[in-house]
Amino acid sequence: MFSIFTKPRVVEDQTANNIFAVFQWALENFDATAFVRSTDLVKPTRESFPDRADNELDMVKNAYARVLQYSGLASWPFVLVPQQQVAAAAPPRLTLQTTRRANNSSAVVASNDVLMVSYSAPMLKKPMDLVASMSKAVAQHYLYQTGLVPPAGLESFNETSEILSVFMGFGVLVANSAYTFRGSCARCYDPNANRVAALSESEAIFCLAVFGVLKEIPSKQITVLLKPYLRTTYKKAVKQVLRDEENLAICRKLITLEQLNSTSHQQVSR
């Protein structure tokens, strides 16, 4: 009877709390300074991916290089490999600087081991899926190398990695590739061209809204990059994020504390 007075929600309150918890945890452990100062919204346009390529392999390499650059982990020993070459075993634990993300920092590696980021040939047909998949792989390595347990436990590793990818700026690509319409032509559909999403479309949009609000990015600058049918959902998600004053206050306090600590360290170094 009173449903007309209910505020629209993109995700349930518990889901929203879980997503906020990961963002707060990320601000504490995955370089809030980089989030504030150097993390930009990665766009599925030439602005973020200006490189030209003469063939598909060069296109993949260019996209991969941009993913590493935008993640702030370009100095880590990543290597790009076809999906069929990925080792089944868990990646090695390396001695890496995980509290700071800076492309010019030195990554101290304990051995000659590398961290694999894979791509599938069919995914070359869908560049957004390709970039989102690679950004998630980088986030998974980042999370694994820290040795930290996500707020929702180890069983949430996959979902947490995807939220971390949004935290590092790849939210538009994650949201746009969270769901793929199969269509009516079974012969045309290629499941290998689609990435396997851990978050639902609504969850990905809500994560993107948290990112957009914390980074103070006007909604119009984000909605124009989303699939048309997701734009209204994003606006609703922003309203839901803004209504959650308690969780927002925690995030903003963490950002402010990191800024104060960073300023203090700079003054001492002088």
Side-chain angles (χ1 to χ4, degrees), residues 59-262:
M59 184 269 285
V60 174
K61 289 180 178 178
N62 290 340
Y64 162 75
R66 292 291 176 182
V67 167
L68 296 188
Q69 174 191 341
Y70 298 139
S71 69
L73 300 173
S75 62
W76 282 32
F78 288 110
V79 61
L80 180 67
V81 297
Q83 194 171 50
Q84 60 269 25
Q85 292 183 18
V86 175
R93 291 273 193 189
L94 307 179
T95 306
L96 296 165
Q97 168 59 267
T98 59
T99 58
R100 287 286 179 264
R101 287 184 285 135
N103 288 322
N104 58 355
S105 66
S106 58
V108 182
V109 185
S111 68
N112 292 324
D113 290 320
V114 295
L115 305 175
M116 295 184 181
V117 175
S118 68
Y119 69 93
S120 69
M123 203 174 281
L124 301 182
K125 305 171 187 174
K126 305 180 72 174
M128 274 198 288
D129 287 63
L130 175 68
V131 172
S133 177
M134 290 193 292
S135 72
K136 180 181 176 180
V138 170
Q140 287 176 320
H141 281 301
Y142 190 14
L143 176 53
Y144 180 77
Q145 292 300 321
T146 66
L148 297 172
V149 177
L154 289 175
E155 62 273 17
S156 69
F157 181 89
N158 206 22
E159 292 84 357
T160 302
S161 298
E162 208 153 287
I163 298 173
L164 190 56
S165 174
V166 177
F167 178 80
M168 294 193 294
F170 298 95
V172 169
L173 296 111
V174 170
N176 276 342
S177 61
Y179 172 77
T180 301
F181 178 62
R182 179 165 181 165
S184 58
C185 177
R187 293 181 180 178
C188 300
Y189 177 72
D190 186 353
N192 294 318
N194 306 321
R195 77 177 185 89
V196 179
L199 300 174
S200 70
E201 200 170 55
S202 295
E203 291 166 346
I205 285 290
F206 188 84
C207 291
L208 178 58
V210 174
F211 177 89
V213 170
L214 292 179
K215 293 289 292 181
E216 299 181 350
I217 302 173
S219 291
K220 288 183 179 180
Q221 292 184 18
I222 293 181
T223 53
V224 71
L225 302 170
L226 291 170
K227 292 178 178 178
Y229 74 91
L230 292 176
R231 294 169 185 173
T232 299
T233 306
Y234 179 80
K235 293 175 184 177
K236 291 179 181 177
V238 168
K239 291 178 180 178
Q240 184 176 354
V241 169
L242 291 173
R243 287 198 303 269
D244 198 336
E245 297 178 1
E246 183 177 350
N247 273 317
L248 265 183
I250 294 172
C251 289
R252 286 168 171 161
K253 182 178 179 180
L254 290 168
I255 290 172
T256 300
L257 286 173
E258 184 65 26
Q259 289 174 318
L260 290 174
N261 290 335
S262 178

